[in-house]
Amino acid sequence: MASKTNEETLAVIRENLAEVLNPEIIEAVLAEGRAPRIYWGTATTGRPHCGYFPAAIKIAQLLSAGCSVTILLADIHGFLDNLKAPLELVDHRATYYRFVIQAILRAVGTPIDKLKFVLGSSYQKSPEYIMDVYKMAALVSENDAKKAGAEVVKQTTNAPLSGLIYPILQVLDEQHLDVDAQMGGMDQRKLFVAATEWLPKLGYKVVSDPLSASPGTVKQFPRTFEPLLTHTSQRAHLISPMIAGLNGSKMSSSDEQSKIDLLDPPDVVSKKVKKAECVPKQPEGNGVLALIEHVLLPASALKGKREIIVPRHEAEPLVYSDIEKVKADYAADILTPQLIKPVVAKGLNDLMASIIAEYEASEEWKAVTLKAYPPPVSNKKVKKPKDKGSRHPGAGNTNSQAQPEGTNADRVVPLVEASETPKDGGA
């Protein structure tokens, strides 16, 4: 395969992104003839679902463009975010995430030799990192920390302090992972902007050190009120759009109706897609079309031919390689929900078939699944058999003698004998 020009590489990096902050940083790296170093982080909380496909396929595109990609399995972040990942489960969940992400990339035929996984706790407990957390906590206000993490960290009344630490960690991660860019969703934009504002406060600067093996090495200097150097450390930020789920809102692990699990069998996938919200002639905010745009079309390109084919009864099939044409035909009612839903279900099932096959063939993956997401413990109360005994209606007192007809033997006998003295000693 012929190597891409810088312009072609930039086009692949930009594809399906909502925004790129500081793109000149990526351009400068490519101009140096070096592969851009990019990281994407994910808190290892709920089970990954089809909502992870767009990020994984974007990572596959970055790898195909020659970028070096680091995936941060953010176990400590998951714990800090309102205890979404209990400490006893985070290690297992990180392993589960690694299995899933690798399987998705292999499903679209992407080599992963330039892919690196890093566990957050492997460096976030180091003395250097912890010291930076303390410094940042002394420099960033409570209001700024809340603002930066508003769309990422769960906001609650009387929230724990961990919600304020979470954004500090994410800002520091791009520095300690030594990358040129960070990738994330539009919900993380405030965190990305915070990184450009907060990191210089710690005194991180880009310097050309003649004694360093590589010019432009990032160095840390003590913070002072005088600028140490004129050029501050910055990264580019690749921002993905927030795509709709099957019910029109964000696909979420906690919403069974909005998500498709990556290990769902084909019939379940088809059923969920069939029930998905898909308003005719309205392409915007349409979760089914979003799967075509961010999953099926780029996945087909990675496999060799960018296209989706839409069969039609008694007519030639429709073939699409451009999402704008898909949206235009959908708005014109040439494409209908009845036509595209089976195509999307089949496309997802084709991608997931190899993921499911990997899972079924891996005893280690199966074992860690049970450890990472143990089945809920049933608290169902066991019904005790009723003791009908002598207290069913009309039983009377077992100690009483049989009475002649016409007496009051059929009345309910009190539980306390008449001669028994009350325990409170009353008269």
Side-chain angles (χ1 to χ4, degrees), residues 334-355:
I334 296 171
L335 274 179
T336 64
Q338 292 76 18
L339 285 175
I340 65 168
K341 283 185 175 183
V343 173
V344 170
K346 182 181 184 303
L348 290 177
N349 280 326
D350 288 346
L351 283 174
M352 290 165 56
S354 66
I355 299 174

Side-chain angles (χ1 to χ4, degrees), residues 133 289 342-343 369 402 408 417:
V133 172
L289 287 187
V343 173
T369 301
N408 60 354
E417 295 294 336

Side-chain angles (χ1 to χ4, degrees), residues 390-419:
S390 61
R391 294 174 60 184
H392 59 277
N397 189 339
T398 56
N399 295 324
S400 62
Q401 300 295 321
Q403 301 292 325
E405 186 176 353
T407 66
N408 60 354
D410 289 335
R411 67 178 175 83
V412 177
V413 177
L415 296 181
V416 179
E417 295 294 336
S419 60

Side-chain angles (χ1 to χ4, degrees), residues 208-249:
S208 292
D209 183 354
L211 300 178
S212 173
S214 57
T217 301
V218 177
K219 297 286 187 180
Q220 183 181 8
F221 293 88
R223 179 177 179 271
T224 66
F225 291 102
E226 295 297 327
L228 296 171
L229 294 168
T230 57
H231 187 57
T232 60
S233 174
Q234 284 190 337
R235 272 92 187 168
H237 292 94
L238 314 179
I239 304 178
S240 303
M242 303 304 291
I243 69 170
L246 297 180
N247 60 1
S249 60

